[in-house]
């Protein structure tokens, strides 16, 4: 009788596991479909991200949004698939990195985070026009362990 009870308990546990995995199959199938859609729009999304890094640096937030809308119109005209709801910040930087930047003194507004992305990711040297010295203090804190040397003209 003891072996029969143990066998029944194992069968119940196995049935519970199989039923639980059946729900996961639905989730995995849906997630797989989402990945296929993301892959189809990857070219346009990467184009937007690289255009942002290459061209948006010297402009204010309003003009950056205007550029982004113009690029989206151009991609639509040329039938380049892209994600309409693309968040460039989420695409170009991890949330933990932004949190680190905030701890180092970078403000948490969208423009400051975009500027942080450009400063850390762009291949060109950034020109900081920083009347409030927030960017300057952020860079000092961020690069303090790398023997940053500060000069003034």
């Amino acid at each position: 009788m003891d072996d029969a009870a143990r066998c029944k308990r194992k069968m119940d546990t196995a049935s519970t596991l199989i039923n639980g995995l059946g729900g996961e199959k639905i989730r995995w199938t849906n997630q797989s479909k989402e990945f296929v859609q993301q892959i189809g729009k990857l070219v346009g999304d990467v184009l937007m991200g690289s255009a942002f890094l290459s061209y948006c640096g010297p402009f204010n937030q309003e003009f950056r949004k205007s550029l982004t809308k113009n690029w989206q119109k151009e991609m639509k005209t040329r039938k380049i698939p892209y994600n309409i709801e693309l968040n460039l910040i989420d695409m170009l930087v991890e949330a933990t990195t932004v949190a680190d930047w905030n701890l180092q003194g970078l403000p948490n507004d969208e423009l400051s985070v975009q500027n942080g992305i450009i400063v850390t990711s762009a291949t060109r040297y950034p020109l900081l026009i920083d009347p409030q010295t927030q960017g300057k203090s952020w860079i000092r804190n961020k690069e303090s362990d790398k023997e940053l040397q500060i000069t003034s003209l």
Side-chain angles (χ1 to χ4, degrees):
M1 190 72 173
D2 192 30
D3 287 339
R6 213 176 341 186
C7 183
K8 179 162 177 27
R9 212 175 0 178
K10 285 182 181 181
M11 296 265 302
D12 290 340
T13 304
S15 294
T16 304
L17 179 63
I18 289 171
N19 291 336
L21 290 176
E24 284 297 303
K25 180 182 178 186
I26 294 168
R27 187 179 68 84
W28 290 339
T29 302
N30 291 338
Q31 198 167 23
S32 176
K33 289 176 186 176
E34 288 176 22
F35 286 150
V36 168
Q37 290 175 352
Q38 285 178 348
I39 290 170
K41 297 176 180 180
L42 189 61
V43 171
D45 293 350
V46 170
L47 179 61
M48 287 292 290
S50 58
F52 173 81
L53 286 174
S54 298
Y55 300 112
C56 285
F59 302 115
N60 64 17
Q61 192 168 18
E62 183 179 324
F63 194 73
R64 287 177 184 179
K65 287 181 181 179
S66 174
L67 282 173
T68 304
K69 286 181 183 176
N70 288 339
W71 293 332
Q72 287 176 340
K73 286 179 190 175
E74 189 65 29
M75 286 194 297
K76 190 173 186 177
T77 302
R78 295 177 186 262
K79 295 184 171 107
I80 299 171
Y82 66 96
N83 185 354
I84 295 170
E85 298 171 2
L86 178 66
N87 184 333
L88 288 169
I89 291 174
D90 291 342
M91 178 185 172
L92 296 172
V93 70
E94 297 290 327
T96 55
T97 304
V98 174
D100 287 343
W101 291 349
N102 296 147
L103 290 173
Q104 294 163 346
L106 185 71
N108 197 25
D109 61 284
E110 183 179 4
L111 182 63
S112 296
V113 174
Q114 286 179 352
N115 289 339
I117 292 169
I118 291 168
V119 166
T120 58
S121 301
T123 56
R124 300 177 189 161
Y125 291 104
L127 170 65
L128 279 115
I129 300 171
D130 189 22
Q132 297 174 343
T133 68
Q134 293 173 325
K136 181 179 174 182
S137 63
W138 169 63
I139 290 174
R140 269 193 186 138
N141 293 335
K142 182 178 180 340
E143 302 297 328
S144 63
D145 60 338
K146 297 178 183 157
E147 299 179 24
L148 176 68
Q149 295 181 359
I150 299 170
T151 60
S152 60
L153 302 174

